[in-house]
Amino acid sequence: MSKKYWLMKTDPSTFSVEDFKKNPRQTTSWEGVRNYQARNFMREMKKGDLAFFYHSQEDPSSIVAVARVVKEAYPDPTQFDPKSKYFDVDANPTNPRWFLVDIQLEKVLKTPITLPELRKNSKLKNMVLLQKGSRLSVQPVTEQEWATVLEG
DNA sequence: GCCAACGTTGGC
DNA sequence: GCCAACGTTGGC
């Protein structure tokens, strides 16, 4: 079974690559996803899959790092925690609604790859990230797109 | 800060 | 099941 590629968005004021670097073993649980499509993609992720780590809400927004899936999907504990901002009143522990994966920082890019640069590359015009109105926070990236992005 | 695009909710 | 209203995302 071959490796798959993904892109995971984060607002750096919530969780940035700097926060990621400081975490123990440079690992984090991708908590707080509350969108079914994004959740479904996380459930497809396999250990060893790679993901672009993307900062949204920046000037310019950019891919800043590469991360690796180190633990496959399991229930997001924040859905059951009334003190969490991700608490979901309707979440049922015997049939959890929200899932997350653990990812580890693989490498920080020396130079972030900005959204305008990605848009300029015609080979990337079908990337989910670049579609009009695309807000999906966890999305698939094809092998060709992955290679194209990294070769710059 | 603005606002278009999107997803979700809830009344009917 | 439809769809208006609402809340959120995220580029600009």
Side-chain angles (χ1 to χ4, degrees):
Chain A
M1 186 157 43
S2 73
K3 190 189 300 198
K4 289 199 181 159
Y5 301 94
W6 310 93
L7 181 143
M8 298 166 94
K9 281 184 198 170
T10 175
D11 177 346
S13 68
T14 303
F15 184 78
S16 72
V17 70
E18 294 305 313
D19 299 323
F20 205 170
K21 269 198 248 179
K22 286 181 213 146
N23 271 5
R25 300 192 321 284
Q26 301 196 326
T27 299
T28 191
S29 300
W30 205 252
E31 62 179 34
V33 169
R34 294 295 179 268
N35 169 286
Y36 290 103
Q37 247 187 305
R39 177 203 67 180
N40 292 345
F41 284 132
M42 282 201 292
R43 295 178 79 165
E44 289 179 29
M45 289 184 184
K46 297 290 178 202
K47 208 167 168 177
D49 283 2
L50 295 175
F52 287 130
F53 187 89
Y54 177 86
H55 277 178
S56 62
Q57 319 273 48
E58 283 235 296
D59 187 19
S61 297
S62 316
I63 294 171
V64 294
V66 172
R68 182 163 26 92
V69 176
V70 291
K71 185 171 178 186
E72 295 176 12
Y74 62 100
D76 180 344
T78 63
Q79 68 192 304
F80 306 121
D81 177 3
K83 291 194 289 294
S84 169
K85 67 171 171 175
Y86 301 123
F87 179 61
D88 182 343
V89 211
D90 299 324
N92 173 359
T94 60
N95 185 19
R97 176 183 290 190
W98 303 116
F99 288 76
L100 49 68
V101 294
D102 288 355
I103 58 173
Q104 184 168 43
L105 191 57
E106 175 96 357
K107 72 168 176 187
V108 178
L109 301 185
K110 285 198 208 86
T111 315
I113 303 164
T114 69
L115 186 60
E117 286 175 71
L118 295 171
R119 285 200 194 286
K120 264 190 277 174
N121 192 330
S122 61
K123 285 193 222 161
L124 298 176
K125 63 173 189 296
N126 292 325
M127 246 186 120
V128 177
L129 181 72
L130 305 183
Q131 304 314 301
K132 186 178 168 65
S134 166
R135 314 191 317 194
L136 197 55
S137 64
V138 176
Q139 50 181 258
V141 172
T142 68
E143 196 173 350
Q144 290 84 348
E145 288 163 354
W146 182 270
T148 302
V149 169
L150 287 181
E151 77 200 12

